[in-house]
């Protein structure tokens, strides 16, 4: 959510300036705000996928390994989206202001925003890969013998 806020707030200033300078261009000028909003959806996707992977059975519970990998996956997606949100905010603010003065900058603005958005997408991909590792590690812990138990946090 913080990434969405950073990008929306910063780019929104440029959109407000665009509304004053050239009101006819306002619909094309809100592209950075929409792209910043997508970053919040990335976080929601990661949260839903991680929460569906949290499972425990009566004998083992939720492994510490899976917990730390899920935590790292959330951090990876969150920090990547934060960086993307800041980049979208800065690029969106300056390029929307430039678009108000020159129409030819629109394509360059879109390209810069796509590359900034890719940072958040990379974090989403890493989080999904880490979630897969956490689920494999949990299966590995389930196969431990009773003489070498996997470290777990018991369900309450």
């Amino acid at each position: 959510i913080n990434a969405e806020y950073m990008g929306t707030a910063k780019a929104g200033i440029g959109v407000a300036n665009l509304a004053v300078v050239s009101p006819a261009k306002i619909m094309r000028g809100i592209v950075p705000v929409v792209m910043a909003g997508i970053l919040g959806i990335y976080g929601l996707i990661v949260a839903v996928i991680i929460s569906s992977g949290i499972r425990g059975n009566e004998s083992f519970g939720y492994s510490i390994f899976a917990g730390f990998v899920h935590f790292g996956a959330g951090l990876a997606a969150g920090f990547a989206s934060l960086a993307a949100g800041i980049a979208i905010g800065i690029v969106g603010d300056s390029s929307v202001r430039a678009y108000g003065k020159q129409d030819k900058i629109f394509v360059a603005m879109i390209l810069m925003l796509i590359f900034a958005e890719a940072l958040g997408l990379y974090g989403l991909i890493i989080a999904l890969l880490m979630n897969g590792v956490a689920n494999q590690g949990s299966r590995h812990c389930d196969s431990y013998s009773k003489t070498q138990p996997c470290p777990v946090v018991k369900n309450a």
Side-chain angles (χ1 to χ4, degrees):
I1 302 296
N2 194 19
E4 182 181 353
Y5 166 75
M6 293 291 290
T8 302
K10 186 82 172 136
I13 295 168
V15 172
N17 184 313
L18 179 65
V20 172
V21 174
S22 182
K25 299 178 183 179
I26 196 73
M27 288 309 291
R28 291 180 88 182
I30 63 168
V31 172
V33 175
V34 172
M35 291 184 82
I38 293 170
L39 297 173
I41 296 171
Y42 291 165
L44 181 65
I45 290 169
V46 170
V48 167
I49 289 175
I50 288 175
S51 67
S52 69
I54 296 176
R55 57 170 174 63
N57 55 30
E58 288 123 20
S59 60
F60 288 106
Y62 181 54
S63 72
I64 293 173
F65 171 76
F68 278 116
V69 174
H70 285 150
F71 179 65
L75 286 177
F79 282 130
S81 291
L82 180 64
I86 292 170
I88 287 172
I90 293 170
V91 169
D93 179 30
S94 58
S95 60
V96 165
R97 289 175 191 252
Y99 174 62
K101 296 176 183 172
Q102 177 62 258
D103 288 341
K104 294 179 183 178
I105 196 73
F106 184 74
V107 174
M109 175 182 78
I110 296 297
L111 287 174
M112 289 185 285
L113 290 171
I114 287 171
F115 287 123
E117 183 81 24
L119 296 173
L121 189 59
Y122 296 151
L124 174 66
I125 292 168
I126 295 299
L128 295 177
L129 291 173
M130 289 177 75
N131 184 54
V133 169
N135 292 339
Q136 289 173 355
S138 294
R139 275 189 249 118
H140 179 68
C141 287
D142 289 346
S143 66
Y144 268 75
S145 69
K146 294 190 186 235
T147 59
Q148 295 178 323
C150 187
V152 296
V153 176
K154 290 290 183 185
N155 293 336

